[in-house]
Amino acid sequence: MNCFNTTEEKQVEESKETKNPHLDLVDRGISKLIDIPGLFMLEHLVRLTMSHNKIDVLPAHIVELKNLESLNLFNNHIEELPTNMSSMPKLRQLNLG
């Protein structure tokens, strides 16, 4: 059972309401992006920073973030990317370090 931290839910909801183009979810112990309700509905996002987490899989749903230009996943456990990422024409910066 997932014990989800409502702080992330609140940040996603706030981003949705304010149309803030930047979302920072750094060092939150996040392991699965699909466990963050509403994340992939934030089509207005330009920058998503999720460095220093425990993410091991980047789901194909990432392409739903159509306006994403910068994706920072530094210091996670990702070993491969979904092939559909090539359909993200605005993505200019991807940090997997």
Side-chain angles (χ1 to χ4, degrees):
M1 181 160 196
N2 181 21
C3 184
F4 189 72
N5 185 343
T6 58
T7 303
E8 286 82 17
E9 286 181 272
K10 286 179 185 173
Q11 282 190 265
V12 167
E13 189 60 33
E14 182 178 300
S15 177
K16 184 178 173 182
E17 290 173 3
T18 63
K19 299 289 188 207
N20 186 342
H22 308 290
L23 181 59
D24 295 318
L25 298 172
V26 176
D27 197 16
R28 303 291 178 89
I30 299 167
S31 59
K32 303 231 178 287
L33 296 184
I34 58 172
D35 289 342
I36 303 174
L39 178 63
F40 298 114
M41 295 176 8
L42 300 178
E43 293 183 9
H44 64 277
L45 277 187
V46 173
R47 186 188 77 205
L48 177 58
T49 305
M50 301 189 77
S51 54
H52 305 288
N53 280 292
K54 299 173 183 174
I55 301 164
D56 57 357
V57 174
L58 190 60
H61 296 299
I62 195 73
V63 300
E64 293 175 27
L65 301 177
K66 298 174 182 174
N67 292 302
L68 202 62
E69 295 176 9
S70 175
L71 178 58
N72 185 346
L73 294 164
F74 177 78
N75 195 25
N76 277 283
H77 307 287
I78 298 169
E79 294 186 14
E80 67 180 75
L81 298 172
T83 56
N84 65 344
M85 279 191 75
S86 62
S87 69
M88 297 179 75
K90 294 187 178 184
L91 188 63
R92 299 283 179 251
Q93 186 177 44
L94 175 63
N95 184 351
L96 298 171

